[in-house]
Amino acid sequence: MGDVLIIRSVSFQQLDLNLPALRTVYHGQRLVLLTHAHGVKLAETYRDIAEVVVYPSDGPFTKAKVPEALKDRVFDSVVVPVTNSSGAGFFNVLELAFSFNTKEVRQCNVRSEINLVEPKDVKQRRMSHALFSLLAGMAGVLAGIVALPYLLWQLPKLEKKE
Amino acid sequence: MKPLVSVVILCWNRKDDVKEGLLRLRQQQYEPLEIIVVDNGSTDGTADELRRDFPEVKLLEIGENIGIEAYNRGFAAAKGEYLVILDDDSFPKEDAIARMVEKFEADPKLGIVAFDVRNYFEYDQVAHNINQNQALLEDSVAEAEDYWLAFNGAGAGVRRQVFLNIGAYPAEFFLYWNEQDTAFRMLQAGYKIRFFRDVVSYHKYSPRNRESWRAPYYYTRNAFWLIWKNYPTDMVLRLTASLIEDCFYYSFEQKTWIYLKALLHAFRDMAQLKGKRQPVQRQIAEKLRIPWQVAFTFFR
């Protein structure tokens, strides 16, 4: 049995909650945790995490920044924990998960329900992501034309007077 | 003589959780302790039961829910040299306050001891017992080389006077992102914030607590206010533009108006920030890590 990669896309509090279910599903397999640098010392307290890998950025997870240590690794599964029921808001993490050499990707939600993510679902989400990004970009520009000058005008009024 | 530590807890309609937390505080290894509970207008009998069952607790009754401003009332009433800030569903491990005091006494420029806030229901089952593992006790600071962190309000220690001098919590936020706002001001005042894996707080994080409109609304609105209060002007414009675009993106993705409502209210109610904008040094603005996307992960 191969290794399982867990991307720490949720707080440690939630990961604490999810780990027993993950341990059951991946019984006997080696769990590898990908976390931002500040999480390494906290991740080392886990009994069942065999290896901690540092994500090479302080920003959100993105497939544009795959850690060197994981580029040539092969995983049986990559797990994306999410803080809600549906996984909304975690598309970037899902994209990163699918960029690894893995047999499958699973999503673990806030209720510790661990479900397979089908490649066709991701394809659908990619199309939605592209459409939403385009629309949001356009709406953002229009809103910004009004909002940003207004904000620039208001900012001095908010300044603390010494 | 060991310094007095004041524990400040804010509660609102969680009487069983806050009572459990208070029972756990009785097991703390550290003394002297002062325990202050600020009740934000609970309607479930919290105040009566605390008065009856916990006579050692100083109870402040606000009479209505005023959000995190109620914490500030507790901080002002505290007498301790150090404060421990807790949620009504969190409590420190029995040795946490003693360890916290050691960290403060060892470093006069340490402003905040950020507890490692872990899940009450599972942490002890999934983690090593730190006290029995010397390797985990040594070098316990959890940090990154090139960025800084704020702290979690479900478990944090602060130097009381410094905290009051910088304005404590931002009352106008009502809920969420208050820790980050405080972190900016603490760093600007020249103090450090450090996470320690051997200073643990348990928090009742559960699916039940996560389904609420409040989180996406207040996280989003306060994200704008956090930016406008603390960042240099050029970064304000860049971050605001990015956040506006995110509000639209996640509205489309999650089919909700909540983010756009929060965006509108951020602008509409901007007057609440009057006199509160204090841009921090550029290094702080660039290095303090704020996970903006968190605001968009609570809705469904």
Side-chain angles (χ1 to χ4, degrees):
Chain A
M1 285 189 290
D3 293 351
V4 172
L5 177 67
I6 303 168
I7 302 174
R8 195 184 71 82
S9 43
V10 297
S11 67
F12 277 103
Q13 291 182 68
Q14 182 177 322
L15 193 56
D16 296 344
L17 206 60
N18 294 152
L19 263 178
L22 289 168
R23 185 71 276 169
T24 300
V25 167
Y26 297 111
H27 181 68
Q29 291 182 269
R30 202 165 163 273
L31 302 181
V32 180
L33 185 70
L34 176 64
T35 182
H36 289 82
H38 66 275
V40 172
K41 289 277 169 62
L42 307 182
E44 286 173 351
T45 63
Y46 284 129
R47 287 195 214 118
D48 290 327
I49 298 295
E51 181 185 351
V52 180
V53 177
V54 180
Y55 184 69
S57 165
D58 67 331
F61 289 110
T62 167
K63 64 180 180 180
K65 292 192 171 131
V66 176
E68 278 301 319
L70 298 180
K71 277 184 178 164
D72 298 323
R73 296 269 295 263
V74 177
F75 295 101
D76 274 5
S77 184
V78 177
V79 180
V80 175
V82 299
T83 56
N84 47 37
S85 302
S86 68
F90 288 84
F91 178 69
N92 56 309
V93 192
L94 215 53
E95 284 273 75
L96 173 62
F98 273 100
S99 72
F100 292 114
N101 193 341
T102 180
K103 293 176 187 167
E104 63 169 28
V105 171
R106 287 186 184 263
Q107 183 170 283
C108 177
N109 68 18
V110 69
R111 298 176 198 287
S112 297
E113 295 160 344
I114 304 167
N115 296 311
L116 194 63
V117 181
E118 300 281 358
K120 64 175 170 47
D121 295 330
V122 175
K123 193 175 172 185
Q124 172 68 40
R125 287 183 72 169
R126 274 196 198 112
M127 289 168 57
S128 302
H129 170 71
L131 176 62
F132 297 154
S133 296
L134 179 65
L135 292 174
M138 288 163 53
V141 167
L142 289 173
I145 286 171
V146 176
L148 295 181
Y150 176 75
L151 180 60
L152 209 50
W153 174 48
Q154 290 292 322
L155 277 181
K157 300 179 189 178
L158 306 182
E159 298 268 350
K160 181 171 180 166
K161 305 283 184 273
E162 296 300 334
Chain B
M1 176 73 178
K2 289 196 280 186
L4 176 67
V5 172
S6 300
V7 179
V8 181
I9 301 167
L10 176 61
C11 71
W12 183 59
N13 288 333
R14 275 193 180 146
K15 75 171 181 229
D16 292 336
D17 289 333
V18 74
K19 284 168 66 177
E20 179 175 6
L22 292 173
L23 282 173
R24 300 288 188 147
L25 280 168
R26 284 178 176 166
Q27 296 166 7
Q28 275 296 311
Q29 295 169 0
Y30 185 87
E31 56 182 19
L33 280 184
E34 172 190 41
I35 300 174
I36 299 170
V37 175
V38 189
D39 183 59
N40 233 348
S42 295
T43 54
D44 65 349
T46 296
D48 288 340
E49 293 197 24
L50 294 191
R51 258 194 297 273
R52 182 191 70 205
D53 298 337
F54 298 93
E56 74 272 23
V57 166
K58 189 181 294 183
L59 178 66
L60 303 181
E61 295 180 72
I62 305 297
E64 59 175 322
N65 188 350
I66 60 172
I68 52 168
E69 184 185 345
Y71 263 122
N72 290 344
R73 308 256 181 115
F75 301 146
K79 296 183 172 45
E81 185 172 339
Y82 306 112
L83 299 173
V84 172
I85 305 172
L86 298 173
D87 274 354
D88 52 10
D89 59 352
S90 71
F91 57 88
K93 202 164 189 286
E94 61 276 1
D95 62 351
I97 296 180
R99 289 183 184 279
M100 176 200 83
V101 172
E102 279 174 13
K103 314 291 184 194
F104 276 128
E105 304 275 274
D107 185 355
K109 292 310 285 183
L110 181 59
I112 297 177
V113 168
F115 289 26
D116 184 12
V117 180
R118 305 305 287 258
N119 196 291
Y120 164 81
F121 301 105
E122 293 293 349
Y123 179 59
D124 287 343
Q125 280 69 44
V126 300
H128 295 292
N129 183 336
I130 289 179
N131 291 343
Q132 293 174 1
N133 190 316
Q134 194 58 32
L136 292 178
L137 281 176
E138 289 168 2
D139 192 19
S140 62
V141 179
E143 61 185 355
E145 271 184 26
D146 46 9
Y147 63 88
W148 298 331
L149 298 168
F151 61 98
N152 186 324
V158 300
R159 290 185 189 275
R160 185 179 69 89
Q161 197 53 58
V162 173
F163 191 55
L164 294 177
N165 290 347
I166 65 168
Y169 274 165
E172 67 277 6
F173 278 30
F174 190 81
L175 257 188
Y176 302 124
W177 283 139
N178 45 295
E179 298 98 327
Q180 283 67 24
D181 187 72
T182 300
F184 276 112
R185 285 179 277 112
M186 182 63 75
L187 293 168
Q188 181 74 353
Y191 288 86
K192 292 182 277 191
I193 302 169
R194 289 281 185 276
F195 267 89
F196 296 92
R197 65 179 171 194
D198 62 330
V199 185
V200 174
S201 163
Y202 296 100
H203 187 208
K204 291 184 179 179
Y205 178 103
S206 76
R208 182 176 59 82
N209 295 340
R210 311 315 294 171
E211 291 171 6
S212 161
W213 63 269
R214 290 174 183 266
Y217 174 81
Y218 284 109
Y219 265 110
T220 304
R221 185 199 71 175
N222 293 350
F224 285 102
W225 285 3
L226 192 65
I227 294 168
W228 300 345
K229 282 183 73 176
N230 296 291
Y231 283 85
T233 303
D234 61 320
M235 294 180 77
V236 167
L237 295 176
R238 180 168 55 78
L239 288 168
T240 300
S242 174
L243 205 51
I244 288 174
E245 187 175 332
D246 283 343
C247 285
F248 281 104
Y249 176 90
Y250 290 107
S251 297
F252 297 138
E253 185 199 53
Q254 296 167 32
K255 299 181 180 53
T256 177
W257 292 109
I258 196 76
Y259 303 122
L260 295 177
K261 180 179 175 183
L263 159 62
L264 280 170
H265 288 188
F267 277 89
R268 183 193 70 181
D269 300 332
M270 180 191 289
Q272 291 189 44
L273 305 183
K274 197 172 177 186
K276 296 180 179 174
R277 172 170 162 73
Q278 281 188 284
V280 298
Q281 294 165 39
R282 187 158 290 270
Q283 185 190 32
I284 297 171
E286 287 171 350
K287 290 189 77 164
L288 183 59
R289 180 178 185 266
I290 308 291
W292 302 110
Q293 282 192 312
V294 156
F296 307 106
T297 62
F298 295 111
F299 181 65
R300 55 172 86 246

